[in-house]
Amino acid sequence: MLDDCGRRIDYLRISITDRCNLRCVYCMPEGGVSTLRHSDILSYEEIVRLTGLLTRLGVRHLRVTGGEPMARRGCLDLVRRLHETGGVETIAMTTNALLLRGRVAEARAAGLDALNISLDTVDPATYAAMTRGGRVEDVLSVIDDAVSLGMRVKVNAVPVRGMNDHQLAALAALARDREIHVRFIELMPVGCGAGLSPVPSDEVLARMEAAFGPLAPDTSRHGFGPARYVRPEGFAGSIGVISPMSHEFCDTCNRVRLTADGYLKLCLNHQAGLDVRALLREGADDDVLLEALRAAIARKPARHGFLEEIGDREERRMNEIGG
């Protein structure tokens, strides 16, 4: 379907939990946070029902996320059920990969097409410091397992000045011999990220060129999001940047988010949306839900508003919104 700005909305990010096995510096306080009760989060049956309705409205691409989606029991069973939903063309997962170790083949068999793996550095000490736990070697093993099974793999890194910005080229080099896409995402002033120092995408690309030489544009389609890709000479994969702050892409935004507690979130930085959990648990039938979903999506905000004052700015952390 089209929203009131004429954007085609065909991409749904589904957060299935606000829990995570890591405490990344831009996402969560070191001591952790209070989490939702099980009764507060959508059941898998509710998620499958909503997904089916949203495919009737034109959603074709799904991303399962969290928190850490694999931290919720039965995550891959949900993937299998979503895979069986009519109208779904692709299913991806955003994950830190640690709980996928040894289970990549199972995930592939369930119908998972692609992995977006959060990895901010390949240096073990920096990884431990930024995630406050975990072993980078385990993440790298999942990447290689996924590539060997023919899955599309993207590595998502958030450059933070003074933490990992001096190690970006080493991370990008993962794409030299692997057909993967290493993407650098500008830090957004949401939750814990608001107090950290970002590295703009143009600076990241300049560092890539200094490290690897000329960067040829890679115009191949690698997904359904806003990344811009380049490919240094001799690279099997590519390097991407996602630039919500320095190169706003709101005019082409094609996504909505479903939070773990059942809120259809229309924009990352706005509170605007629809409490679908309330409708579901009040017994709304499919026709009522479809009309409510259609009306909400039509009102998707035109811009994220990170750089100006807005009246409904999002105050929740990324684990609560859905990464």
Side-chain angles (χ1 to χ4, degrees):
M1 67 170 289
L2 302 180
D3 68 6
D4 287 345
C5 296
R7 297 170 294 195
R8 185 171 300 280
I9 309 303
D10 60 3
Y11 180 7
L12 174 66
R13 298 177 66 103
I14 305 169
S15 174
I16 66 171
T17 181
D18 61 338
R19 298 172 185 265
C20 189
N21 53 322
L22 296 179
R23 298 289 181 268
C24 295
V25 294
Y26 46 76
C27 185
M28 222 186 288
E30 184 171 6
V33 295
S34 59
T35 55
L36 293 167
R37 298 174 302 173
H38 186 72
S39 60
D40 291 331
I41 63 176
L42 291 184
S43 68
Y44 287 159
E45 290 74 19
E46 290 170 324
I47 291 171
V48 171
R49 182 184 177 196
L50 283 170
T51 299
L53 294 173
L54 285 162
T55 61
R56 289 168 61 179
L57 296 177
V59 166
R60 295 291 177 264
H61 310 290
L62 307 179
R63 177 169 299 281
V64 177
T65 180
E68 168 51 46
M70 290 296 294
R72 182 170 174 182
R73 183 177 300 176
C75 174
L76 297 184
D77 292 330
L78 173 65
V79 169
R80 183 175 291 103
R81 294 175 67 179
L82 294 173
H83 179 66
E84 295 167 353
T85 300
V88 174
E89 296 179 9
T90 65
I91 305 177
M93 179 187 291
T94 295
T95 174
N96 61 42
L98 296 174
L99 300 178
L100 267 174
R101 189 180 183 199
R103 302 189 67 186
V104 179
E106 180 185 353
R108 182 63 164 147
L112 197 65
D113 300 295
L115 288 175
N116 280 22
I117 295 177
S118 301
L119 180 63
D120 297 315
T121 177
V122 291
D123 178 76
T126 304
Y127 180 81
M130 291 188 70
T131 63
R132 304 184 178 114
R135 289 171 14 103
V136 71
E137 296 86 355
D138 294 339
V139 183
L140 295 174
S141 72
V142 170
I143 291 173
D144 288 334
D145 287 349
V147 170
S148 71
L149 290 170
M151 299 179 73
R152 297 192 305 276
V153 177
K154 298 173 184 175
V155 171
N156 288 345
V158 179
V160 181
R161 202 174 300 280
M163 291 188 180
N164 65 337
D165 57 316
H166 61 298
Q167 300 169 350
L168 303 183
L171 181 61
L174 290 175
R176 190 195 304 273
D177 301 316
R178 301 171 177 86
E179 290 187 24
I180 66 174
H181 312 290
V182 178
R183 295 114 56 83
F184 297 100
I185 304 173
E186 285 182 338
L187 180 70
M188 291 174 283
V190 175
C192 298
L196 301 174
S197 180
V199 181
S201 291
D202 289 348
E203 181 179 335
V204 170
L205 289 174
R207 294 189 185 203
M208 296 300 106
E209 188 165 28
F212 304 118
L215 305 175
D218 179 1
T219 58
S220 303
R221 186 163 190 176
H222 301 304
F224 308 96
R228 296 175 288 137
Y229 293 95
V230 295
R231 191 187 300 269
E233 184 176 355
F235 268 52
S238 60
I239 299 169
V241 291
I242 299 176
S243 317
M245 305 303 294
S246 63
H247 296 273
E248 183 181 303
F249 44 78
C250 297
D251 60 333
T252 60
C253 185
N254 63 339
R255 69 192 61 188
V256 291
R257 298 167 181 261
L258 183 63
T259 66
D261 58 353
Y263 193 75
L264 185 72
K265 189 168 175 56
L266 308 175
C267 175
L268 183 63
N269 195 40
H270 287 263
Q271 296 178 20
L274 176 69
D275 186 352
V276 289
R277 184 185 69 184
L279 289 173
L280 286 166
R281 297 182 183 179
E282 288 166 2
D285 65 21
D286 285 358
D287 288 340
V288 169
L289 284 167
L290 279 168
E291 185 52 39
L293 291 166
R294 183 183 290 110
I297 292 172
R299 300 191 302 270
K300 179 176 167 67
R303 299 181 59 248
H304 57 52
F306 277 124
L307 302 177
E308 61 263 5
E309 288 299 320
I310 59 174
D312 67 337
R313 185 177 300 278
E314 181 58 78
E315 301 295 338
R316 289 179 294 174
R317 291 176 292 267
M318 284 299 295
N319 69 297
E320 297 171 292
I321 298 169

